[in-house]
C-alpha cells in the first residue's frame, strides 16, 4: 500500500472516529479501492483485515439477500450520480452467522477540484446495547431494563408509567430532525422537573419515555400525568417556538417480584397501547389484581410467558366446529388457544392473549399454534376432505417481515394443503397499514390460503378491509346475532353485511348461534356457515376427534 495513501486514509479515519459515537468507522480511497475498517468491526463481522481492497464486495456478501438490492441502489446513487451521501438500514451477517440490523451512513469527500476522492462514514450496530441516551440526557431502554431488574431483585415496590408522543413524525417532516431532537430534549427536561421528587426517568424506544416511582399511588401518577399534559399544551417552548404535544400513557403497579423484567415490560407496553387505542390518551393503569386462583395477574402472566420459552409447554388447542347453514354438516373448525398447568388450572385466553400480543415472544407462540392446528387438521381431513381449519392471527405476527415465509414453511413441513387453511384477521389486526395487509394476504392467496375477516361490523375499518383484501369469508360478530329474532336493527345489519359480503364474492359465517330459533332466523339471510354453542363448545382435539371424526 502506498504510504501516502495510507497516511491520508488514517487521517480521515481518525476524524470520522471522533464523530462515530460508538459506531464502526470506515474510509475508502476511491481510486485505489483500499478501505480501512474499525478493528471492532473486523472482529465482529469477521472481515479479512483492517486494511483491505474491494471491501465493498466483501461487505455485500454478508448483507441479507432481501436487503441487498436497496443497499446497491443507495451506493450506486453515491458513486455514479455523486449524490453525496448514503443512509441505509439493513441486516448483515456477523462472524457467528447471525443477522443483526445496522444503520450505515457515508459521505463523499472531494478534492480541491471537486472530484470524489474518499468515501467514509460509520456503521451503527443496532443490536449493541447502550444504557444512556445522548439526545435526552437520560438512561435508555436498556438502562431501564437493568434498573428494573435491580429493583425487583431488591423487592422494592414500584410504580411505572410509560408515556409516548403522538404524530412526532409530522413535526420532524415540518421542522426537521434537528428541531425534533431539541423537542425531545426539552420534553425530557420537563419530565425531569415534574418527576424530580418521585423517581427516575428514562428514554425508551422512539418517542417513548418511562418514569419509575417508589412509594407512589395511582393517584400520584395520574396527577403527574396531568401536569405533564398541561405543560405540553401551554408551556413547552423550543427555540422560541411554542410547541403543542399530544401523547398517551400506561402504568402498572409492581408489588410482587417473582416475575421477569420482560414480563413487566410486556404489561407496561400493553397498558400504553390500551391508552392509545381504546382510552383516547387517558392514563391507563393495568390492574395487577388477584383472580380466582389467588395469584396476581402479572405473576400469572410471567408463568405463561415462560411457558412459551419452554417449547410452549401448557398450551393446547380447542376446536369449535363450523357447519353448513343448510345441511348442518361440518365444513371446518376454528382453532382456539388455551393454557393450563397444575398450579393455575385452565386460564382463559382473555387473561393473557392481549397482553402477550405486545411481547416479542408472541410470534413464536403463533408459529406453534399454526403448526399444531395443521397437524391436528390433517387427521380431520381423513373424514372430511373439504375440511377447512381457521387459525386466528395477531397483529404482532403480521408485523413480522418473515410471516409469509413462516406460513408457507409450516405448510410444507406438515404437508397440509394450503386451500384447506383459513387465516382469521381480528379487529386488532386492522390497526396495521392496509398496504401491508394487502401484500401479505395477496401473497398467501396466490398459494391457495383463505382469509377470513372476523368480528365484522365491530370496527370502523371493516368495510375498507373488505374492499382492499382478498377476503374469502366474512364472520358476523355474535353481538349482531344474539338478539336476531327480536331486534330489527340487528336484522337489518345482518342483511346488509350478508349482501355486502356476497357483492365482494365472500361467503358469510354467523358466530354465536345458541338456539334452534336463532339458526332458523338466520336462514332467511344468505348465510353460508354457522358456528356457536348450539352445535358445540370448543373441544380439545381428543374430544373433537371422538365426536366428529371417529364417530
Amino acid at each position: 500500500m502506498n504510504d501516502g495513501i495510507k497516511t491520508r486514509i488514517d487521517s480521515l479515519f481518525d476524524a470520522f472516529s471522533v464523530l462515530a459515537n460508538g459506531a464502526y468507522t470506515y474510509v475508502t480511497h476511491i481510486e485505489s479501492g483500499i478501505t480501512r475498517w474499525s478493528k471492532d468491526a473486523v472482529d465482529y463481522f469477521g472481515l479479512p483485515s483492517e486494511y483491505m481492497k474491494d471491501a465493498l464486495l466483501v461487505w455485500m456478501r454478508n448483507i441479507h439477500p432481501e436487503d441487498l438490492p436497496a443497499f446497491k441502489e443507495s451506493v450506486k446513487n453515491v458513486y455514479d450520480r455523486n449524490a453525496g451521501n448514503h443512509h441505509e438500514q439493513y441486516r448483515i451477517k456477523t462472524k457467528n452467522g447471525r443477522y443483526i440490523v445496522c444503520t450505515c451512513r457515508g459521505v463523499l469527500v472531494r478534492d480541491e477540484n471537486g472530484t470524489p476522492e474518499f468515501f467514509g462514514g460509520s456503521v451503527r450496530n443496532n443490536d449493541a446495547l447502550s444504557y444512556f441516551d445522548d439526545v435526552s440526557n437520560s438512561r435508555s431502554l436498556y438502562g431501564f431494563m437493568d434498573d428494573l431488574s435491580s429493583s425487583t431483585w431488591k423487592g422494592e415496590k414500584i410504580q411505572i408509567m410509560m408515556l409516548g408522543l403522538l404524530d412526532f413524525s409530522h413535526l420532524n417532516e415540518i421542522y426537521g430532525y434537528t428541531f425534533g431532537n431539541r423537542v425531545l430534549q426539552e420534553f425530557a427536561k420537563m419530565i425531569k422537573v415534574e418527576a424530580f421528587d418521585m423517581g427516575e426517568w428514562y428514554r425508551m424506544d422512539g418517542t417513548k419515555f418511562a418514569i419509575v416511582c417508589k412509594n407512589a399511588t395511582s393517584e400520584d401518577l395520574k396527577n403527574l400525568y396531568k401536569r405533564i399534559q398541561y405543560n405540553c399544551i401551554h408551556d413547552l417552548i423550543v427555540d422560541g417556538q411554542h410547541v403543542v404535544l399530544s401523547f398517551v400513557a400506561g402504568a402498572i403497579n409492581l408489588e410482587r417480584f417473582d416475575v421477569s423484567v420482560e414480563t413487566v415490560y410486556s404489561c407496561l407496553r400493553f397498558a400504553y397501547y390500551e391508552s392509545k387505542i381504546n382510552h383516547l390518551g387517558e392514563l391507563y393503569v393495568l390492574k395487577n389484581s388477584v383472580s380466582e386462583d389467588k395469584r396476581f395477574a402479572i405473576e400469572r402472566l410471567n408463568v405463561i410467558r415462560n411457558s412459551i420459552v419452554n417449547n410452549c409447554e401448557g398450551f393446547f388447542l380447542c376446536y369449535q366446529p363450523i357447519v353448513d347453514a343448510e345441511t348442518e354438516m361440518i365444513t371446518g373448525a376454528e382453532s382456539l388457544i388455551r393454557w393450563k398447568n397444575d398450579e393455575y388450572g385452565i386460564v382463559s385466553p382473555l387473561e393473557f392473549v392481549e397482553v402477550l400480543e405486545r411481547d416479542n415472544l408472541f410470534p413464536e407462540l403463533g408459529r406453534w399454534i399454526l403448526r399444531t392446528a395443521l397437524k391436528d387438521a390433517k387427521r380431520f381431513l381423513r373424514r372430511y376432505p373439504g375440511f377447512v381449519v381457521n387459525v386466528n392471527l395477531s397483529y404482532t405476527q403480521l408485523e413480522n417481515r418473515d410471516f409469509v415465509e413462516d406460513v408457507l414453511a409450516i405448510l410444507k413441513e406438515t404437508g397440509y394443503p394450503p386451500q384447506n387453511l383459513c387465516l382469521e384477521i381480528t379487529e386488532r389486526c386492522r390497526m396495521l397499514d392496509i398496504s401491508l395487509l394487502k401484500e401479505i394476504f395477496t401473497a398467501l392467496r396466490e398459494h391457495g390460503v383463505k382469509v377470513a375477516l372476523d368480528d365484522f361490523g365491530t370496527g370502523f375499518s371493516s368495510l375498507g378491509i373488505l374492499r382492499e383484501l382478498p377476503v374469502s369469508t366474512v364472520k358476523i360478530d355474535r353481538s349482531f346475532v344474539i338478539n336476531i329474532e327480536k331486534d330489527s336493527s340487528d336484522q337489518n345489519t345482518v342483511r346488509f353485511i350478508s349482501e355486502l359480503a356476497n357483492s365482494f364474492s365472500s361467503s358469510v359465517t354467523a358466530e354465536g348461534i345458541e338456539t334452534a330459533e336463532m339458526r332458523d332466523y338466520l336462514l332467511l339471510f344468505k348465510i353460508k356457515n354457522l358456528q356457536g354453542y348450539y352445535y358445540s363448545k370448543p373441544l380439545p382435539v381428543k374430544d373433537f376427534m371422538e365426536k366428529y371424526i371417529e364417530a
Side-chain angles (χ1 to χ4, degrees):
M1 184 192 307
N2 182 291
D3 288 341
I5 292 176
K6 181 178 184 299
T7 301
R8 296 169 70 190
I9 288 176
D10 289 345
S11 177
L12 198 55
F13 183 93
D14 291 340
F16 276 115
S17 296
V18 172
L19 302 174
N21 193 25
Y24 308 120
T25 304
Y26 67 91
V27 173
T28 299
H29 182 249
I30 295 174
E31 185 177 353
S32 67
I34 296 172
T35 299
R36 180 182 174 187
W37 275 97
S38 298
K39 180 66 167 59
D40 288 343
V42 173
D43 295 338
Y44 191 76
F45 295 105
L47 302 177
S49 64
E50 286 185 69
Y51 295 91
M52 70 182 89
K53 197 157 177 137
D54 299 324
L56 183 61
L57 295 177
V58 175
W59 189 252
M60 287 195 299
R61 288 192 200 111
N62 292 329
I63 294 177
H64 195 288
E66 292 179 2
D67 300 339
L68 188 56
F71 176 85
K72 287 181 176 179
E73 183 64 23
S74 179
V75 172
K76 182 179 175 61
N77 286 338
V78 173
Y79 278 83
D80 292 355
R81 304 174 191 172
N82 290 334
N85 62 76
H86 158 74
H87 184 190
E88 196 70 20
Q89 188 173 89
Y90 49 86
R91 291 165 290 175
I92 189 159
K93 191 184 297 182
T94 69
K95 181 172 64 176
N96 297 326
R98 185 173 66 92
Y99 281 104
I100 60 102
V101 177
C102 70
T103 301
C104 185
R105 295 175 181 267
V107 294
L108 280 175
V109 179
R110 305 173 188 273
D111 63 16
E112 59 271 20
N113 298 318
T115 303
E117 185 177 15
F118 293 93
F119 182 71
S122 63
V123 175
R124 182 167 297 280
N125 180 359
N126 296 342
D127 199 48
L129 303 185
S130 175
Y131 289 84
F132 192 81
D133 176 61
D134 293 326
V135 173
S136 63
N137 195 31
S138 63
R139 296 272 280 171
S140 69
L141 170 61
Y142 299 110
F144 167 82
M145 300 293 273
D146 197 48
D147 293 349
L148 181 60
S149 178
S150 176
S151 291
T152 55
W153 178 74
K154 294 176 183 177
E156 297 173 335
K157 293 185 179 182
I158 55 176
Q159 299 74 39
I160 313 170
M161 178 168 67
M162 184 164 75
L163 58 159
L165 304 175
L166 298 179
D167 300 321
F168 198 77
S169 59
H170 295 308
L171 187 147
N172 281 331
E173 290 171 3
I174 296 172
Y175 297 105
Y177 286 96
T178 300
F179 184 80
N181 282 341
R182 289 281 299 118
V183 171
L184 291 176
Q185 288 169 353
E186 293 301 320
F187 183 67
K189 289 179 183 177
M190 185 262 293
I191 292 177
K192 179 179 179 180
V193 171
E194 293 297 339
F196 183 76
D197 294 328
M198 295 184 65
E200 301 294 330
W201 52 94
Y202 303 82
R203 166 84 183 276
M204 310 292 271
D205 59 310
T207 59
K208 300 185 188 73
F209 292 79
I211 303 169
V212 178
C213 305
K214 298 175 183 177
N215 302 317
T217 65
S218 295
E219 196 63 32
D220 292 333
L221 292 182
K222 290 178 182 178
N223 290 333
L224 172 61
Y225 186 52
K226 288 178 181 178
R227 294 198 302 271
I228 294 173
Q229 280 183 313
Y230 182 90
N231 290 341
C232 285
I233 294 174
H234 300 284
D235 298 330
L236 191 61
I237 307 297
V238 181
D239 296 341
Q241 296 192 55
H242 180 210
V243 178
V244 178
L245 300 176
S246 59
F247 49 90
V248 300
I252 61 173
N253 294 316
L254 188 60
E255 299 178 357
R256 299 289 292 249
F257 314 106
D258 46 355
V259 297
S260 69
V261 293
E262 290 81 10
T263 300
V264 174
Y265 185 51
S266 291
C267 293
L268 187 62
R269 282 169 54 84
F270 169 74
Y272 171 87
Y273 283 101
E274 277 296 298
S275 170
K276 181 177 181 179
I277 297 167
N278 296 321
H279 293 269
L280 301 175
E282 181 181 331
L283 177 64
Y284 179 87
V285 181
L286 177 65
K287 294 180 180 178
N288 188 21
S289 55
V290 178
S291 60
E292 292 180 359
D293 55 30
K294 308 302 180 186
R295 304 296 290 270
F296 283 85
I298 294 179
E299 185 180 351
R300 185 172 61 248
L301 279 167
N302 184 69
V303 177
I304 296 174
R305 187 182 184 278
N306 289 339
S307 295
I308 301 177
V309 178
N310 194 23
N311 297 317
C312 296
E313 182 182 28
F315 288 97
F316 66 100
L317 295 182
C318 289
Y319 297 90
Q320 186 171 41
I322 299 172
V323 304
D324 181 273
E326 294 288 343
T327 66
E328 294 190 304
M329 294 292 292
I330 187 170
T331 61
E334 180 180 354
S335 60
L336 299 160
I337 188 70
R338 299 288 188 267
W339 181 84
K340 68 176 180 180
N341 75 356
D342 294 339
E343 185 176 1
Y344 291 94
I346 296 177
V347 177
S348 166
L350 297 175
E351 299 290 333
F352 63 84
V353 167
E354 287 191 354
V355 177
L356 290 183
E357 274 185 321
R358 288 288 170 187
D359 196 294
N360 58 12
L361 281 178
F362 197 87
E364 181 62 32
L365 178 61
R367 286 187 286 270
W368 181 90
I369 292 171
L370 179 60
R371 183 177 291 108
T372 304
L374 298 189
K375 287 180 178 178
D376 289 341
K378 280 190 73 175
R379 300 156 70 187
F380 307 158
L381 282 171
R382 296 169 191 164
R383 173 77 180 270
Y384 304 101
F387 188 96
V388 174
V389 64
N390 287 31
V391 178
N392 290 287
L393 296 179
S394 157
Y395 54 85
T396 310
Q397 294 170 269
L398 295 171
E399 287 177 322
N400 187 338
R401 63 190 305 162
D402 297 324
F403 174 72
V404 173
E405 288 77 7
D406 284 346
V407 172
L408 297 179
I410 294 172
L411 282 165
K412 183 178 181 180
E413 171 195 330
T414 57
Y416 190 82
Q419 65 272 18
N420 292 78
L421 168 63
C422 183
L423 299 176
E424 293 197 16
I425 314 174
T426 61
E427 172 62 25
R428 293 171 71 86
C429 290
R430 301 173 212 173
M431 298 181 293
L432 296 174
D433 180 67
I434 185 65
S435 61
L436 171 65
L437 293 174
K438 188 173 184 178
E439 178 183 345
I440 290 171
F441 289 111
T442 298
L444 289 172
R445 187 70 178 268
E446 289 174 355
H447 288 83
V449 177
K450 297 177 173 60
V451 180
L453 190 53
D454 197 13
D455 307 324
F456 193 87
T458 60
F460 295 110
S461 59
S462 295
L463 181 57
I465 293 286
L466 181 60
R467 183 168 62 89
E468 294 291 337
L469 297 190
V471 174
S472 309
T473 302
V474 169
K475 301 188 77 173
I476 300 177
D477 187 74
R478 68 183 307 276
S479 62
F480 300 114
V481 173
I482 195 70
N483 295 314
I484 190 70
E485 304 157 70
K486 306 172 185 177
D487 194 314
S488 60
S489 63
D490 283 346
Q491 295 165 11
N492 291 332
T493 299
V494 170
R495 180 181 291 106
F496 169 75
I497 293 174
S498 177
E499 293 174 354
L500 180 67
N502 279 281
S503 71
F504 282 98
S505 302
S506 301
S507 65
V508 181
T509 297
E511 298 181 287
I513 312 304
E514 296 183 359
T515 65
E517 289 74 23
M518 291 171 65
R519 174 203 62 192
D520 294 342
Y521 208 99
L522 284 165
L523 290 177
L524 299 174
F525 308 102
K526 295 179 180 179
I527 306 296
K528 173 140 181 88
N529 296 108
L530 302 173
Q531 178 181 350
Y533 273 45
Y534 175 70
Y535 296 101
S536 174
K537 66 180 182 179
L539 299 171
V541 63
K542 180 177 179 293
D543 296 339
F544 189 87
M545 289 284 294
E546 290 177 355
K547 182 173 182 179
Y548 294 102
I549 309 302
E550 298 171 352

